[in-house]
Amino acid sequence: MTVKELENKAKEIRRGILTMIYESEAGHIGGALSCCDILTALFYQIMNTDPGKPKDPDRDRFVLSKGHCVEGYYNILADKGYIRKEELKTFSQFQTRLIGHPNREIPGVEMNTGALGHGLSSACGMAKAGKMQKKDYRVYCLMGDGEQAEGSIWEAAMFASNYRLDNLYAILDRNTLQISGPTEQVMKLEPLKDKWQAFGFEVEQVDGNDMDKVLKAFDRLQKVNGKPKLILADTVKGKGISFMENNVKWHHGTLNQAEYEQALRELGKPDKGGEA
């Protein structure tokens, strides 16, 4: 897919996120919107996966460590054919599979996530297993910045560096806001790039809402051998919606009809010339 096609796909997924949260009256909308470009780049361009063979032993693995921002993930799985699109309407409803965090009942989901700080450790285990089995698959783990305060993140980082897991790609959705406020007020994290480099990671810091830059960052990291990698993605919480952007209120929130209609207007439809 071209960069324009990927940008249009991300716009389509964002519209799906809005509709899912509006109709279900539940969801973590701000973080789902901030990481949408990264998820789109991964699932439509970078990762080696096949919806027809979700358990292929040679598939790339993806772990959504920030499991509360699952709405974009579900929309992508439906768009790619892992689940039926009609099932998206059951999100957060009684007896649904599509609960507010990923779970392994759903094809394409590698592990249950939601307890923050656990995803990277599991991704390290998958990457280490791949090395032991002499497999070529890669493991991608998307983290939130709020969970960087968890000690388990840094234990996993030491493990990854110690075992030279160059098949591990961590991505940090750095939107600077968590449920209780700005990360630098809740628990100071900076200098994050220096910290991850000190833990032995090759780090690329990039605008995480710029599709072209995200793709180029992954391309550069794929050329690095002998050490784990991290994309430090500077993003905007609530990206694409004026009244949500950089507003901690929209970490978790639902839309009324007027807000929903305004958000759809602001987001717009994919450009016809590059629609995927």
Side-chain angles (χ1 to χ4, degrees):
M1 296 175 71
T2 66
V3 171
K4 174 57 69 175
E5 287 172 335
L6 289 166
E7 289 171 345
N8 282 331
K9 180 59 69 174
K11 186 179 292 187
E12 178 187 327
I13 298 303
R14 280 191 169 92
R15 292 174 68 86
I17 292 169
L18 291 174
T19 298
M20 173 182 281
I21 290 175
Y22 172 67
E23 292 181 347
S24 67
E25 299 184 343
H28 290 79
I29 192 166
L33 292 172
S34 70
C35 68
C36 191
D37 302 291
I38 296 165
L39 286 175
T40 301
L42 285 171
F43 278 90
Y44 293 91
Q45 191 71 14
I46 294 165
M47 290 174 53
N48 174 32
T49 59
D50 182 350
K53 297 186 290 185
K55 295 298 183 182
D56 184 344
D58 295 318
R59 72 192 182 280
D60 287 342
R61 274 74 166 166
F62 172 74
V63 175
L64 183 64
S65 190
K66 49 176 287 182
H68 55 287
C69 295
V70 73
E71 295 84 0
Y73 191 15
Y74 285 159
N75 271 274
I76 287 172
L77 291 177
D79 186 59
K80 291 188 71 70
Y82 286 92
I83 59 176
R84 294 179 300 106
K85 288 188 177 182
E86 293 77 15
E87 191 172 0
L88 295 175
K89 295 182 179 296
T90 72
F91 175 65
S92 287
Q93 304 304 304
F94 181 58
Q95 292 186 328
T96 183
R97 294 192 301 173
L98 303 186
I99 58 176
H101 295 80
N103 74 91
R104 294 187 69 236
E105 288 186 34
I106 301 163
V109 174
E110 300 290 345
M111 65 170 289
N112 295 13
T113 55
L116 293 176
H118 292 181
L120 187 62
S121 297
S122 295
C124 283
M126 295 175 192
K128 178 61 173 170
K131 290 288 188 182
M132 295 174 68
Q133 295 168 1
K134 302 189 185 307
K135 295 285 188 180
D136 292 329
Y137 68 74
R138 294 166 176 165
V139 183
Y140 298 85
C141 178
L142 178 57
M143 302 177 290
D145 49 7
E147 68 177 312
Q148 301 302 294
E150 302 284 353
S152 52
I153 291 288
W154 302 101
E155 292 178 48
M158 283 190 290
F159 179 95
S161 180
N162 183 70
Y163 288 102
R164 300 167 61 86
L165 299 180
D166 53 9
N167 56 345
L168 175 69
Y169 293 75
I171 307 108
L172 205 172
D173 183 19
R174 182 69 169 122
N175 61 38
T176 74
L177 294 172
Q178 59 190 99
I179 190 169
S180 46
T183 59
E184 298 311 288
Q185 293 180 17
V186 177
M187 179 68 71
K188 291 185 184 298
L189 300 175
E190 295 296 345
L192 271 172
K193 183 175 182 179
D194 292 345
K195 288 176 179 176
W196 281 95
Q197 287 175 330
F199 272 75
F201 277 65
E202 184 73 20
V203 179
E204 284 282 345
Q205 187 164 9
V206 67
D207 180 345
N209 295 130
D210 185 312
M211 186 65 69
D212 185 54
K213 291 179 180 178
V214 168
L215 294 173
K216 288 176 178 176
F218 275 110
D219 184 62
R220 287 192 293 270
L221 288 179
Q222 286 172 1
K223 298 177 175 66
V224 175
N225 296 316
K227 59 196 305 189
K229 297 104 170 195
L230 175 95
I231 286 186
L232 181 51
D234 295 315
T235 64
V236 176
K237 195 133 189 168
K239 177 66 177 178
I241 313 301
S242 63
F243 58 88
M244 293 185 191
E245 288 192 351
N246 290 314
N247 187 342
V248 71
K249 168 191 171 182
W250 290 100
H251 176 89
H252 182 286
T254 59
L255 305 97
N256 60 37
Q257 184 175 347
E259 290 169 332
Y260 174 60
E261 292 173 354
Q262 179 183 342
L264 287 179
R265 285 195 303 271
E266 290 189 8
L267 197 55
K269 295 183 179 180
D271 301 329
K272 292 182 180 179
E275 190 166 1

